[in-house]
Amino acid sequence: MKKPTDSPVLRDIVLVGGGHSHVGVLRRFGMHPVPGVRLTVICRDTHTPYSGMLPGYIAGHYTYDDVHIDLCRLAGFASARFYRDEAVGLDRAARKVLCRGRPPVPYDQLSINIGSTPMLANVAGASEHAIPVKPIHAFNERWLALLGRVVGHPGAMSIAVVGAGAGGVELTLAMQYRLQNELRAAGRDPAGLQFHLLDSGEAILPTHNSAVRSAFEAVLRDRGVVLHRNAKVDSVAAGQLHTADGKALHADEIVWVTRASGAPWLRATGLALDESGFIRVTDTLQTVTDPDVFAAGDIACMVSQPREKAGVFAVRQGPPLAENLRRAVERHALHPYRAQRHWLALISTGDKYAVASRGGLHFQGAWVWRWKDWIDRRFMRRFSEFPPMQDSMQPAASPVRLEGEEAAQALSAIAMRCGGCGAKVGATVLSRALGGLHPIDRPDVLIGLHAPDDAAVVRVLPGKAMVHTVDFFRAFIDDPYVFGKVAANHALGDIFAMGAEAQSATAIVTVPPGLESKVEDVLTQMMSGAIEVLNAAGCTLVGGHTGEGAELAMGFAVNGLIDESMVGVLRKGGMRPGDVLILTKPIGTGTLFAAHAKLEARGRWIDAALDSMCQSNRAGAQVLLAHGATACTDLTGFGLLGHLVEMTRPSGVDAELSLSALPVLEGAEETAAAGILSSLQPANVRLRRALRDQGAWVDDPRYPLIFDPQTAGGLLASVPAERAEACVEALKTAGYARAAAIGRILPQGDALEPVVLAR
Ligand SMILES: Cc1cc2nc3c(=O)[nH]c(=O)nc-3n(C[C@H](O)[C@H](O)[C@H](O)COP(=O)(O)OP(=O)(O)OC[C@H]3O[C@@H](n4cnc5c(N)ncnc54)[C@H](O)[C@@H]3O)c2cc1C
């Protein structure tokens, strides 16, 4: 469970990239939190691969989850904010990370651990025709696609791997082992699969000793891999490689495992880079350019201790990086880090056999693989099985030293927390946070945020009626930008469920007190997310109120417009016997976010749930209207059954709900089966009395989900039976991939219970 803390945020450490060093930083801060210091990790992937086990995954010995660290859970353990996004630049003057999909993220201390990027641009045709192994996080998708192509390819096939360092050799052997097994399983002859390994140098594994090299030369020979030495690939075409000595080699697939470089966006940051684009850092892992910016792992080039690019160094840099980040916020002297000269590499041959290499040492065997497997699994457990957290219930004094105005603000934030009073957020903070936001212009908004006044004034044209709704809830995720999106989407749901168009909204927000700059950041992120959603819905933000409170929370009063002739067309009470019940989005958000709070949900389940919660119901309502929907509501806190009963009762009908047809978010069945349910669930379960023969269904794994409270859920509607199939198809075309017919409407029977369950 997330650790409660009474300490306001005084310093922000932002981690860009979820590489091997940053996972160590997160774990360390999770075990030893520093009061007043908040971590934010920005990573484009929720599941970050552990390079040491990647060849074993490719060979088929490990599952995806065995070899990936779940950053979302790890960040939860560290009480860090996890932003699923990509850094695309830095504004070092303003101390902000520029992201692809959200407002800039401010930092006090920044650390970059983003791995490396393939160097394909200097070989003609390589970008178009070769599969780069870097960035390593994106290799999985490319590998699965290659696997599918090889298995689906009739007849003989050849694969060329370019680059015979440890990564290239290990990858070649792992791929060969796996692909041959897959072909055998498909009843094909694995001998038809030929592997070529090319390197521009004379020696394979050039950074390892000669005994290790000889061992791998023998393995490659025995396994029939054709080794091309001194073969500098200088151009690539479809199915063909050309080397500098004028030779051509046919290859159906080309995999690129050569030297990598730094990400191109770093060039514009002003940070000093080496000739390959890696960030130059000192022994304290601070960049040589900017002491508030750190770098570690492959992306860092230690100027006084150059080392090979290897995951082992990235891992080793985690603890000293964590220590120095902490010391930097506390304004203590930083400690230099000494990288090892010799390191143990356990390089596998794909078939559960490995070779050990350390300086001049070499040994090999199946036992080396088992040893490596034990080390790797133990390492991964550190990031999935978390130690008990330190008790941070007692407010601890922050070791962060502040001066002047900041110190006064911090004192007042602490006083505010203790008093728990709900004062207004200062006008300057508010105007700065809202200054960069641009609600859309609407001609029917006479007085709105473009010329703020005591209240907004909107015009309602003749023939139109106004639809009002309000929603408010506290943040259930640590990402204010995404929370803003979900909150706005949730509030708009009622308007669309009535068949109306959204016109204007006023916001109500509470933010925990803190330094003005931190409050401003949270407000900016949250309001940006909300305004994006409101703007996309054609709804303009016309005003709001922001106050300080114990928890981050947000809500909206939304006004919609509807043709008077359409009033009542989409109500809850219009269901007719014979209609088909349609649900536009999957259910399960309540149990998933309850599990997320307990660190029991997988990151990708949360990603998918958030994507679903951010999907607007606007297009869905239009499709339902176009297919003659007779009744509609949006799914929120009462859960599927609660909302269905709200519809059957005024409609004077019964309904049959098919459990197997319900669209369910990935992971929701697992978390519900584990007994992890929303705190609202018990209240919803009281409605089981609305179920006929309820006792017969309680053991069905989907039974708890009909009570699961939804946030920004889909639309539940009844549609004439003859149009239902077309309606579901149209919903899918409109982007509701999980839309489904989930039951039918029955004439009201004699039984007291209106809902019948079916498989
Ligand atoms: C096949 C193969 C096998 C290998 N085996 C070993 C081995 O056994 N032992 C070993 O020591 N090394 C091994 N290596 C080398 C190893 O992969 C790298 O040295 C290691 O991954 C570098 O770790 P890192 O922490 O620097 O970055 P990475 O592991 O590459 O992690 C970078 C992270 O940052 C994220 N990211 C990148 N750019 C951005 C951005 N702009 N914004 C936000 N997030 C971003 C990525 O999504 C990723 O999560 C192997 C390499 C290969 C190719």
Side-chain angles (χ1 to χ4, degrees):
M1 192 71 184
K2 202 166 149 33
K3 286 162 281 188
T5 169
D6 278 339
S7 172
V9 177
L10 306 178
R11 284 291 174 254
D12 269 307
I13 296 177
V14 174
L15 309 176
V16 171
H20 296 58
S21 317
H22 281 173
V23 294
V25 172
L26 286 168
R27 186 173 184 277
R28 222 172 144 92
F29 271 83
M31 290 171 70
H32 307 287
V34 182
V37 176
R38 173 173 61 189
L39 262 65
T40 303
V41 55
I42 304 172
C43 191
R44 57 185 170 205
D45 299 292
T46 302
H47 296 266
T48 194
Y50 169 47
S51 59
M53 290 173 92
L54 217 59
Y57 165 70
I58 287 164
H61 307 314
Y62 301 122
T63 65
Y64 178 90
D65 286 318
D66 286 338
V67 306
H68 285 81
I69 294 168
D70 186 335
L71 283 176
C72 182
R73 283 189 68 220
L74 180 59
F77 167 69
S79 295
R81 304 187 297 186
F82 173 59
Y83 289 2
R84 183 163 54 113
D85 210 320
E86 184 182 0
V88 292
L90 295 184
D91 177 349
R92 286 201 297 115
R95 290 163 170 264
K96 287 186 177 170
V97 180
L98 310 179
C99 295
R100 189 170 297 287
R102 69 175 61 231
V105 179
Y107 63 83
D108 296 297
Q109 258 70 36
L110 173 71
S111 177
I112 305 175
N113 177 211
I114 55 172
S116 46
T117 311
M119 222 195 264
L120 293 173
N122 50 355
V123 177
S127 306
E128 298 82 37
H129 303 292
I131 302 167
V133 75
K134 299 276 182 161
I136 206 156
H137 67 97
F139 183 64
N140 182 47
E141 246 173 63
R142 296 191 288 257
W143 157 244
L144 293 177
L146 184 150
L147 188 86
R149 285 197 299 274
V150 172
V151 174
H153 186 278
M157 204 174 175
S158 64
I159 298 180
V161 178
V162 181
V169 170
E170 209 176 8
L171 192 68
T172 303
L173 294 169
M175 286 198 298
Q176 188 201 42
Y177 178 82
R178 172 72 176 277
L179 292 172
Q180 286 185 344
N181 280 347
E182 295 284 340
L183 289 175
R184 261 184 226 109
R188 308 250 308 276
D189 180 8
L193 184 64
Q194 179 67 64
F195 268 87
H196 296 269
L197 179 59
L198 298 92
D199 200 283
S200 57
E202 170 62 30
I204 63 167
L205 297 140
T207 56
H208 295 269
N209 66 58
S210 58
V212 171
R213 285 204 289 275
S214 304
F216 273 99
E217 280 162 1
V219 172
L220 291 168
R221 210 172 30 247
D222 292 350
R223 301 259 292 263
V225 175
V226 183
L227 186 58
H228 302 258
R229 301 170 193 270
N230 301 311
K232 185 173 186 325
V233 177
D234 63 4
S235 70
V236 182
Q240 206 144 56
L241 293 167
H242 296 273
T243 52
D245 56 3
K247 290 186 187 145
L249 176 74
H250 167 78
D252 296 295
E253 299 282 350
I254 299 162
V255 180
W256 210 260
V257 201
T258 62
R259 251 175 71 88
S261 56
W265 63 266
L266 291 171
R267 286 187 218 124
T269 60
L271 295 172
L273 308 178
D274 72 5
E275 57 290 350
S276 300
F278 296 113
I279 305 169
R280 292 180 187 275
V281 299
T282 66
D283 289 354
T284 54
L285 301 174
Q286 287 163 297
T287 60
V288 297
T289 321
D290 185 339
D292 287 328
V293 180
F294 293 68
D298 276 11
I299 197 60
C301 156
M302 287 197 293
V303 284
S304 65
Q305 311 174 65
R307 292 289 183 275
E308 195 175 333
K309 301 288 179 207
V312 64
F313 292 113
V315 169
R316 293 284 171 118
Q317 286 168 352
L321 177 64
E323 175 64 15
N324 279 345
L325 285 169
R326 188 178 65 77
R327 296 182 78 83
V329 289
E330 292 173 2
R331 301 213 191 137
H332 290 140
L334 307 199
H335 288 163
Y337 158 71
R338 292 268 153 258
Q340 312 141 272
R341 286 208 169 278
H342 297 296
W343 51 284
L344 176 70
L346 301 174
I347 311 166
S348 58
T349 58
D351 50 356
K352 296 198 173 181
Y353 188 94
V355 179
S357 163
R358 187 174 201 280
L361 281 177
H362 147 258
F363 38 92
Q364 63 187 67
W367 70 270
V368 180
W369 193 87
R370 287 196 297 276
W371 183 36
K372 174 177 165 53
D373 176 59
W374 180 80
I375 293 173
D376 287 341
R377 286 185 190 272
R378 189 184 56 164
F379 174 80
M380 289 299 280
R381 274 200 297 277
R382 291 158 58 88
F383 302 101
S384 57
E385 295 171 13
F386 303 116
M389 297 171 198
Q390 271 192 358
D391 183 11
S392 57
M393 295 291 289
Q394 300 306 318
S398 169
V400 174
R401 279 188 260 155
L402 301 176
E403 277 148 24
E405 169 57 23
E406 276 198 332
Q409 285 179 21
L411 264 179
S412 116
I414 290 163
M416 191 71 79
R417 286 239 157 167
C418 301
C421 42
K424 256 180 115 149
V425 166
T428 35
V429 172
L430 204 55
S431 62
R432 276 201 309 259
L434 300 180
L437 307 178
H438 304 290
I440 51 164
D441 282 331
R442 282 185 62 117
D444 50 358
V445 175
L446 305 177
I447 298 177
L449 276 183
H450 54 284
D453 216 302
D454 294 326
V457 181
V458 298
R459 178 184 285 133
V460 182
L461 291 174
K464 293 277 182 187
M466 190 155 252
V467 186
H468 297 280
T469 179
V470 66
D471 264 302
F472 181 78
F473 55 100
R474 34 186 246 256
F476 55 93
I477 45 168
D478 254 353
D479 181 336
Y481 171 74
V482 176
F483 173 61
K485 283 184 156 197
V486 173
N489 210 21
H490 183 93
L492 287 165
D494 285 329
I495 299 285
F496 299 135
M498 294 297 287
E501 279 299 313
Q503 182 213 37
S504 54
T506 41
I508 178 125
V509 173
T510 61
V511 216
L515 296 184
E516 283 184 5
S517 58
K518 310 296 173 196
V519 173
E520 182 188 327
D521 166 46
V522 168
L523 271 175
T524 306
Q525 295 279 339
M526 196 160 62
M527 291 310 298
S528 299
I531 285 186
E532 263 178 48
V533 167
L534 294 172
N535 284 356
C539 179
T540 186
L541 186 76
V542 290
H545 174 89
T546 307
E548 284 177 339
E551 287 181 309
L552 188 64
M554 182 179 221
F556 293 89
V558 186
N559 301 321
L561 294 172
I562 188 167
D563 286 349
E564 278 184 19
S565 60
M566 293 294 288
V567 172
V569 170
L570 276 194
R571 294 196 58 189
K572 292 180 183 171
M575 290 174 147
R576 295 175 320 198
D579 285 350
V580 168
L581 203 53
I582 288 178
L583 180 60
T584 61
K585 294 204 245 173
I587 55 173
T589 60
T591 173
L592 281 172
F593 283 91
H596 178 56
K598 291 176 183 281
L599 306 183
E600 298 284 348
R602 291 195 195 284
R604 59 177 175 277
W605 299 346
I606 296 304
D607 290 348
L610 288 173
D611 288 348
S612 177
M613 289 154 112
C614 287
Q615 186 177 23
S616 170
N617 279 332
R618 188 187 195 186
Q622 286 162 358
V623 171
L624 291 167
L625 270 175
H627 288 79
T630 52
C632 182
T633 192
D634 64 324
L635 284 201
T636 54
F638 298 136
L640 176 60
L641 183 67
H643 289 287
L644 179 58
V645 170
E646 278 187 340
M647 297 173 88
T648 53
R649 204 175 286 145
S651 304
V653 294
D654 289 350
E656 182 187 83
L657 203 55
S658 160
L659 290 180
S660 62
L662 293 183
V664 173
L665 286 163
E666 191 194 355
E669 276 187 48
E670 282 94 324
T671 52
I676 306 171
L677 300 163
S678 157
S679 53
L680 287 180
Q681 180 98 358
N684 288 353
V685 169
R686 284 193 214 125
L687 210 66
R688 64 183 181 275
R689 61 177 185 272
L691 293 173
R692 220 168 291 165
D693 199 15
Q694 172 257 344
W697 297 96
V698 285
D699 292 330
D700 191 293
R702 290 183 158 205
Y703 175 79
L705 294 173
I706 64 174
F707 305 101
D708 187 63
Q710 303 304 294
T711 301
L715 295 174
L716 177 65
S718 52
V719 170
E722 65 281 6
R723 304 184 71 179
E725 205 180 317
C727 181
V728 171
E729 274 317 303
L731 284 166
K732 289 191 171 166
T733 308
Y736 301 91
R738 306 284 309 278
I742 61 164
R744 57 200 176 105
I745 308 307
L746 309 171
Q748 197 165 41
D750 295 334
L752 283 177
E753 305 87 354
V755 180
V756 193
L757 293 180
R759 276 278 170 263

